[in-house]
Amino acid sequence: MKNTKQDQTSAELHVVIIGGGIAGLSAAWQLRQTIDQTGLHCTVLESSTRWGGKIVTKRFDVVDNERTVGPFVVDSGPESFITRKPGAWDLACELGLREQLFNPGSETRNTYVVDQGRPVLLPISPLAFVRSRLISTRGKLRMFKEPFIPARRDDGDESLADFVRRRLGREALEKFIGPVLGGIYNTDPEYQSILTTAPVMREMERDGGSLVAGAFGRMRAKAKLRKEAKARGEILAPSFITFKNGADHLVRELVRQLCENSAFDLRLKSKVSAIEAIDGGGERQRYRLHLEGKESGGESILADAIIFASPANVAARLLQSISPESAASLAKIHHVHIGTISLGFREKDLQLSNPISGLMIPRREKRLIDAMTFTSAKFPDRAPKGYALMRVFFGGAAPYTMDLDDTALCELVLSELKELLGIEAKPLGYVVERWPASYPQAAVGHLGLVDEIEARLPAGLVVTGSSYRGLGVPDSIEQGRTTAVKLVRTLAV
Ligand SMILES: Cc1cc2nc3c(=O)[nH]c(=O)nc-3n(C[C@H](O)[C@H](O)[C@H](O)COP(=O)(O)OP(=O)(O)OC[C@H]3O[C@@H](n4cnc5c(N)ncnc54)[C@H](O)[C@@H]3O)c2cc1C
């Protein structure tokens, strides 16, 4: 895939994208839509040996009684995507992948939360809620008062924790909603900005006057949309989507279609190590990117514009010399560790007393792992018949676990699973993925900080991806595409 366009001197403008995660690739995809009119050409530089960043699907076999069994199909990073934010659904449809999608169903069915060392079923139906011992009667009564709490209608930010406490009470935060939100966003709800992470909750409060009224209003609107779509013979997207063969299907197809266009040069093992601003000889500022890595070491590339689609802490380092103010603002975005270990078991060895699809572990429980999803309970095709696949998240509550070698990590995870779920079985195989200091945290006021960063960036430089305006894959796709559109506009091509 390597072709050298770095010495380009023609009138064509060269856009370089740093980072081949889904945000960077989506930005490239958007540029492709306008390439015929703009005459731009584009290089995507990815430091690692594969495309997709946090989207990574792995397959492994195990040996059981001298027989090779497999494959276990593991999404080490994201595995399902919300469609309320349509980025992933729209992109999959544009790439012709609609047939590869399926509806994973409810995300919260059979999910447990650890409370005082023991797993308790998350009550998701009204009856289960009333019966649940997770929340005291007093806590439940406080939650029932939610529709009568006056709505906040201004645009000011607050933490997820403040929002939940304000609307539903302290116990709802500590026992119920906090662990779910903390688990989903790998964060402490006391820190995380609601306007970046879950703006929909504030929208429901604002539109309906309460979460309950807002939720019912949304359900009614959705039912109406479904009815109208059905009458037109259309199928609406389910609430969540997953790829049958793993999430990297999206990435592989995106890369394949981008590579078909000669205006694109996609390069792996190409880590950008430094950037300098150079005099473009005209009105336009140009930039020289220096690469390191096995294949690109010592090389430099000339760019008219750069899309930084790496985590913000990487952009901060790269911008240090050419825009110290932007770098200082970017450095304020905090990134934490995250890792997953996916373990394959014999089904009969697990002997779980109740069906379980996931386990949320609040930080106050002081455990060494962050959460667990029972992948094969949700997606049976991901493990061979008679076998089970489980994915455990680590690195947040106990950062030192990031540095353990795979064997030590597996032992630690098994001892946690034994204590929390009584699982004594040994896995037949496992795979580990680690992202050190790479999972963005959006503090209260985060969106204001992003506005500040964008305003400070020198001409021709833009940032995009999960560090900025939303953490999930649909957000990253949407941001990549929007950034590309804006960039083309500012380049006036
Ligand atoms: C375990 C886990 C589970 C998740 N589950 C879900 C889920 O179920 N649903 C959902 O919607 N989201 C989920 N997410 C979040 C989602 O995966 C990410 O937000 C999204 O994939 C981020 O995409 P990105 O392109 O912004 O960043 P990244 O994927 O981090 O991509 C950035 C890329 O930049 C590259 N790079 C870094 N430095 C350089 C450099 N100097 N030069 C060149 N390249 C560089 C990196 O190698 C990387 O490939 C999950 C994330 C994790 C980690």
Side-chain angles (χ1 to χ4, degrees):
M1 271 184 224
K2 181 169 169 169
N3 80 36
T4 45
K5 291 191 173 159
Q6 63 269 33
D7 294 325
Q8 196 95 11
T9 51
S10 76
E12 274 183 357
L13 289 176
H14 186 202
V15 177
V16 172
I17 299 176
I18 302 176
I22 195 65
L25 294 172
S26 301
W29 179 251
Q30 188 61 40
L31 290 178
R32 204 194 92 143
Q33 313 310 310
T34 53
I35 216 97
D36 292 339
Q37 300 100 59
T38 56
L40 291 171
H41 73 270
C42 171
T43 302
V44 187
L45 300 171
E46 165 55 43
S47 54
S48 75
T49 54
R50 55 161 192 84
W51 298 107
K54 296 192 180 79
I55 300 183
V56 43
T57 306
K58 291 181 166 176
R59 288 163 185 82
F60 68 96
D61 294 338
V62 297
V63 176
D64 187 13
N65 286 326
E66 296 177 6
R67 202 168 52 93
T68 301
V69 187
F72 289 81
V73 181
V74 172
D75 277 325
S76 293
E79 60 181 15
S80 56
F81 312 116
I82 202 161
T83 59
R84 182 170 42 74
K85 298 173 178 180
W89 169 262
D90 287 351
L91 183 60
C93 293
E94 279 173 46
L95 292 166
L97 295 179
R98 194 157 157 174
E99 295 303 310
Q100 301 302 321
L101 298 172
F102 75 97
N103 177 358
S106 162
E107 283 281 285
T108 42
R109 198 167 15 105
N110 295 330
T111 296
Y112 286 72
V113 57
V114 178
D115 183 40
Q116 296 173 43
R118 289 198 306 147
V120 182
L121 186 63
L122 263 187
I124 51 169
S125 73
L127 188 63
F129 177 75
V130 172
R131 286 184 179 158
S132 172
R133 65 171 179 78
L134 184 62
I135 297 178
S136 70
T137 308
R138 201 176 158 171
K140 286 175 189 165
L141 289 173
R142 172 63 184 82
M143 287 176 80
F144 285 131
K145 267 172 65 183
E146 195 277 331
F148 309 104
I149 307 279
R152 177 175 176 176
R153 296 189 193 271
D154 66 277
D155 292 336
D157 204 356
E158 65 192 314
S159 70
L160 285 172
D162 282 342
F163 175 85
V164 177
R165 254 191 307 263
R166 184 165 64 69
R167 299 250 28 117
L168 295 155
R170 185 187 49 81
E171 232 183 301
L173 171 72
E174 287 174 6
K175 300 281 178 79
F176 186 18
I177 306 197
V180 175
L181 294 175
I184 292 174
Y185 300 111
N186 184 36
T187 190
D188 179 352
E190 298 286 352
Y191 180 85
Q192 198 78 1
S193 141
I194 191 155
L195 291 184
T196 314
T197 313
V200 66
M201 295 208 270
R202 280 286 291 274
E203 287 161 22
M204 287 198 292
E205 177 187 29
R206 192 194 55 215
D207 300 345
S210 73
L211 282 177
V212 172
F216 277 119
R218 278 171 184 260
M219 273 155 60
R220 275 195 302 274
K222 205 166 169 185
K224 187 166 170 253
L225 274 180
R226 285 201 189 287
K227 209 168 151 193
E228 287 167 0
K230 202 172 167 192
R232 291 194 302 270
E234 287 171 18
I235 303 167
L236 282 192
S239 299
F240 286 91
I241 49 169
T242 300
F243 285 84
K244 286 178 190 160
N245 297 321
D248 76 340
H249 201 131
L250 179 69
V251 173
R252 280 187 282 119
E253 188 56 23
L254 191 47
V255 169
R256 192 188 69 74
Q257 294 197 25
L258 283 171
C259 287
E260 280 176 353
N261 191 310
S262 60
F264 287 86
D265 184 15
L266 274 70
R267 300 171 59 170
L268 291 171
K269 295 185 239 170
S270 301
K271 179 175 177 180
V272 179
S273 54
I275 301 175
E276 55 181 317
I278 53 167
D279 184 359
E283 280 179 15
R284 203 184 294 281
Q285 175 73 65
R286 300 186 91 191
Y287 301 94
R288 188 180 294 282
L289 294 91
H290 297 274
L291 305 188
E292 69 177 47
K294 267 193 191 138
E295 293 189 2
S296 312
E299 199 180 321
S300 71
I301 293 187
L302 216 51
D304 297 283
I306 304 175
I307 298 179
F308 291 83
S310 57
N313 47 7
V314 175
R317 278 198 295 278
L318 293 175
L319 281 162
Q320 187 61 51
S321 60
I322 48 175
S323 177
E325 319 81 54
S326 316
S329 302
L330 282 159
K332 288 184 192 161
I333 301 177
H334 184 49
H335 291 71
V336 295
H337 299 329
I338 187 167
T340 58
I341 174 168
S342 299
L343 309 123
F345 293 93
R346 273 188 218 103
E347 216 163 44
K348 64 178 164 59
D349 289 351
L350 285 176
Q351 296 186 335
L352 290 164
S353 43
N354 293 310
I356 172 166
S357 64
L359 182 69
M360 303 288 188
I361 310 174
R363 294 279 157 94
R364 74 182 136 76
E365 292 288 323
K366 305 228 177 318
R367 305 301 317 194
L368 301 175
I369 57 174
D370 299 325
M372 182 280 277
T373 52
F374 203 148
T375 313
S376 55
K378 294 203 293 183
F379 315 132
D381 291 349
R382 296 286 170 94
K385 211 168 170 29
Y387 294 83
L389 181 63
M390 209 177 265
R391 186 170 67 142
V392 174
F393 294 68
F394 65 91
Y400 81 91
T401 53
M402 274 322 255
D403 301 323
L404 295 177
D405 66 35
D406 288 2
T407 315
L409 174 72
C410 183
E411 273 170 27
L412 174 139
V413 165
L414 289 175
S415 84
E416 288 288 277
L417 291 178
K418 185 173 166 188
E419 276 187 42
L420 293 168
L421 296 171
I423 293 173
E424 307 235 11
K426 295 278 172 267
L428 299 170
Y430 60 86
V431 290
V432 182
E433 194 69 39
R434 297 175 181 82
W435 293 276
S438 182
Y439 200 85
Q441 306 284 285
V444 175
H446 177 82
L447 293 176
L449 175 62
V450 175
D451 287 341
E452 180 186 304
I453 290 167
E454 288 174 344
R456 285 181 164 185
L457 281 167
L461 304 184
V462 287
V463 292
T464 197
S466 53
S467 296
Y468 305 101
R469 298 187 185 273
L471 299 163
V473 167
D475 301 298
S476 301
I477 294 173
E478 176 74 31
Q479 291 179 72
R481 299 187 76 157
T482 312
T483 306
V485 169
K486 279 192 200 151
L487 182 69
V488 167
R489 219 176 283 144
T490 59
L491 290 173
V493 284

